[in-house]
Amino acid sequence: MPAPALHKPDKPSGQKRRSSTSRRRLEDKVAIITGATGGIGEATVRLFLQEGANVMLVDRSADKLRAARDGLATKKAVAFSLADATDEKATAAAVAATIETFGGVDILFANAGTEGRIGPFETIGVSDFEQVLRTNVLGVWLAMKHCVEPMKKRGQGSIIATTSVAGLIGYPGLAAYSASKHAVCGLVKTAALELGACLIRVNAIAPGPIDNRMMGSLESQMSPENPAAVRQKVKATIAMQRYGFNEEVANLAVFLGSDESSYCTGTVFTVDGGYTAA
């Protein structure tokens, strides 16, 4: 008998319409999202707003921030702050701007990151390695660091950091990226232990292969002459036989930012279609 055809779901278009009386999951919460103009960042901004949050968009490109804000259906609950993830002064200023604009901080989604240059272990230069570590580790730590006191003043909070399945397993050619994402897992677990008594939850999201710019860059770097072949090879290793969507990562970020995750801390949540199940 022929094998059954695999169902390929359409790209998620958003959440189901809620009744006018139901309370949205992030109602009146204040969120900071770094890396807000990337695929996962933009999808999370839209979903956070839909769920009732006030959102501060943080990124290093003013033009991209304006474009991201202009592309939103609502502008009332949105502000943006220009900051490179590795710049402590600018990061602190973004947190201060959030407090000034919205009155406090309830959620941090430390999502800014870079794939950097990939290649065989011995061919990566020091500057390339450092760049990835600075953005993916130092940048996450700085955002977390400057949100702790504002969350303590609120009496609770949720910190979410973007790691990767490459932070759980190794992957040939991704030495710097994998090392940086493993480090994010360590930051999250340590912060969860330190901040648990303050009712600040700290978790990480580990996306698998997601259909966005970063994955396209990785495919092109791995095989400039045939990136489509890389995609097919990767898809064959995923239990669900497809790449994920930015919106599917955003759905998990909403859960972790909401009160639904009130007893979740110190955990790395995968959203990978079964990539790491084997």
Side-chain angles (χ1 to χ4, degrees):
M1 293 179 63
L6 289 172
H7 172 62
K8 302 296 183 183
D10 295 330
K11 185 175 181 179
S13 58
Q15 301 297 301
K16 293 181 179 179
R17 186 181 298 276
R18 297 181 182 275
S19 70
S20 59
T21 58
S22 63
R23 182 174 174 82
R24 294 178 292 180
R25 299 161 77 191
L26 302 179
E27 194 77 49
D28 299 327
K29 291 185 183 293
V30 177
I32 297 174
I33 298 178
T34 70
T37 68
I40 290 173
E42 283 195 358
T44 305
V45 168
R46 290 193 297 270
L47 194 52
F48 272 33
L49 289 170
Q50 183 177 319
E51 292 292 345
N54 298 293
V55 184
M56 177 64 77
L57 285 64
V58 182
D59 211 295
R60 62 182 180 179
S61 168
D63 289 341
K64 288 183 178 180
L65 282 168
R66 292 190 189 95
R69 183 193 60 184
D70 292 346
L72 296 170
T74 179
K75 314 291 190 299
K76 293 182 180 179
V78 180
F80 70 83
S81 185
L82 187 66
D84 187 292
T86 64
D87 185 331
E88 182 168 17
K89 184 177 180 180
T91 298
V95 175
T98 304
I99 296 168
E100 181 178 354
T101 304
F102 297 121
V105 180
D106 299 295
I107 304 166
L108 167 67
F109 186 26
N111 174 64
T114 180
E115 71 277 17
R117 191 176 75 83
I118 71 173
F121 199 90
E122 70 277 11
T123 67
I124 302 300
V126 171
S127 61
D128 291 325
F129 204 99
E130 286 182 339
Q131 179 208 9
V132 173
L133 291 182
R134 285 184 61 80
T135 300
N136 294 357
V137 184
L138 181 65
V140 168
W141 170 67
L142 287 173
M144 292 169 65
K145 171 185 176 181
H146 287 282
C147 284
V148 169
E149 286 305 317
M151 288 184 180
K152 284 183 176 180
K153 289 180 180 179
R154 296 285 247 202
Q156 61 182 356
S158 176
I159 294 173
I160 311 157
T162 301
T163 179
S164 166
V165 292
L168 303 173
I169 60 175
Y171 199 95
L174 297 181
Y177 183 76
S178 183
S180 72
K181 294 302 187 178
H182 274 76
V184 170
C185 295
L187 282 175
V188 162
K189 290 178 182 295
T190 300
L193 293 173
E194 291 189 15
L195 301 174
C198 304
L199 302 184
I200 298 174
R201 310 187 311 280
V202 189
N203 295 286
I205 294 176
I210 305 297
D211 194 7
N212 58 23
R213 182 214 62 81
M214 182 178 286
M215 197 63 203
S217 170
L218 292 172
E219 292 164 353
S220 295
Q221 290 192 67
M222 290 176 187
S223 179
E225 68 286 351
N226 192 3
V230 176
R231 174 171 288 229
Q232 289 304 118
K233 182 178 179 181
V234 173
K235 283 171 63 176
T237 66
I238 302 170
M240 296 183 72
Q241 297 287 290
R242 68 173 177 90
Y243 278 18
F245 299 117
N246 295 316
E247 291 80 2
E248 292 174 308
V249 182
N251 285 334
L252 182 53
V254 167
F255 167 72
L256 291 174
S258 77
D259 295 337
E260 295 169 7
S261 61
S262 57
Y263 201 51
C264 300
T265 196
T267 301
V268 180
F269 292 83
T270 59
V271 52
D272 69 352
Y275 182 81
T276 56

